[in-house]
């Protein structure tokens, strides 16, 4: 069996030897054997564990990567896989949200549709005035607020809602997208992105970057799985494949 030093593991990944020792301390790689002189002695199994952990960090983040490795070293493969599954489920939700936001932006900018705009002056509307402007009810505006689409201020004395220019713009966006059949959670995502990006043109560029980052995360998850699977097998935690039964008449 090849014996490896902390520096051997560290060199492969550009880490410090202290980082390797910390990962051992935190349970991300198995405990090292010790030489008669008390020095740590690692094996290829430790190197495989470190590769798997660092790949998990790239794909799922440090906390989840550590959770997965500690679960495996405790012999709880189901807990480890559940943590990985949550990461894949979140990636799918992010993709679905991205697609929904993309469709909404196309709805706003396609077919010559004008993006609603509210002048940045001193325009301030009450809930009733804004409802009348849009042709909706005050209850609808409160629903949009609960969904995170609107965030009106309040009058200091009365506590009544007051909608400024940005609120009016967001309400008009929401009204347009609701007429297009978009769900409130998707509209809320669009509004948040437009606030951050500064408009639909900037948002389109932001969405392209968002998609690239999701693709990179998906590829990183594939890389992590490719390194994690053989380590699970090495630990003896992979279940045996089912034994195929006799071929029946319906299988011929």
């Amino acid at each position: 069996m090849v014996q490896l030093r902390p520096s051997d593991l560290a060199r492969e990944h550009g880490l410090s030897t202290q980082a390797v020792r910390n990962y051992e301390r935190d349970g991300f790689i198995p405990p090292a054997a010790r030489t008669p002189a008390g020095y740590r002695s690692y094996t290829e199994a430790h190197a495989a564990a470190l590769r798997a952990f660092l790949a998990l960090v790239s794909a799922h983040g440090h906390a989840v990567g550590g959770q997965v490795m500690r679960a495996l070293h405790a012999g709880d493969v189901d807990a480890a896989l559940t943590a990985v599954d949550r990461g894949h489920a979140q990636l799918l939700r992010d993709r679905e949200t991205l697609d929904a936001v993309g469709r909404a932006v196309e709805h706003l900018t396609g077919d010559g549709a004008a993006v609603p705009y509210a002048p940045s002056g001193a325009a301030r509307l009450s809930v009733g005035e804004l409802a009348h402007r849009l042709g909706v009810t005050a209850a609808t505006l409160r629903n949009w607020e609960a969904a995170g689409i609107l965030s009106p201020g309040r009058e200091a004395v009365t506590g009544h809602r007051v909608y400024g220019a940005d609120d009016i713009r967001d309400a008009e966006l929401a009204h347009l997208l609701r007429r297009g059949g978009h769900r409130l959670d998707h509209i809320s995502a669009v509004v948040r992105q437009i606030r951050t990006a500064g408009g639909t043109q900037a948002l389109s560029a932001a969405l392209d970057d968002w998609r690239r980052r999701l693709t990179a995360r998906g590829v990183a998850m594939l890389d992590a799985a490719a390194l994690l699977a053989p380590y699970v097998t090495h630990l003896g935690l992979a279940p045996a494949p089912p034994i195929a039964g006799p071929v029946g008449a319906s299988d011929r």
Side-chain angles (χ1 to χ4, degrees), residues 17-28:
T17 55
Q18 184 59 51
V20 174
R21 289 191 288 267
N22 290 345
Y23 293 157
E24 178 189 344
R25 177 201 64 198
D26 295 336
F28 304 156

Side-chain angles (χ1 to χ4, degrees), residues 100-127:
V101 172
R103 288 193 298 270
V105 171
E106 289 177 2
H107 184 102
L108 289 173
T109 58
D111 300 326
V115 177
Y117 170 75
S120 59
R124 288 159 57 89
L125 300 179
S126 68
V127 63

Side-chain angles (χ1 to χ4, degrees), residues 242-252:
I243 300 174
V247 177
S250 60
D251 298 319
R252 294 175 183 150

Side-chain angles (χ1 to χ4, degrees), residues 74-88:
D76 193 348
V77 67
D78 288 330
L81 294 178
T82 296
V84 171
D85 290 344
R86 287 197 186 100
H88 286 280

Side-chain angles (χ1 to χ4, degrees), residues 203-224:
L203 176 56
S204 295
L207 292 180
D208 290 339
D209 179 66
W210 187 3
R211 188 174 298 280
R212 283 191 294 271
R213 286 186 282 113
L214 290 183
T215 298
R217 198 198 318 171
V219 172
M221 287 181 178
L222 292 177
D223 291 339

Side-chain angles (χ1 to χ4, degrees), residues 153-164:
R154 297 278 182 162
E155 286 281 5
V157 176
T158 65
H160 294 165
R161 291 172 173 82
V162 178
Y163 298 85

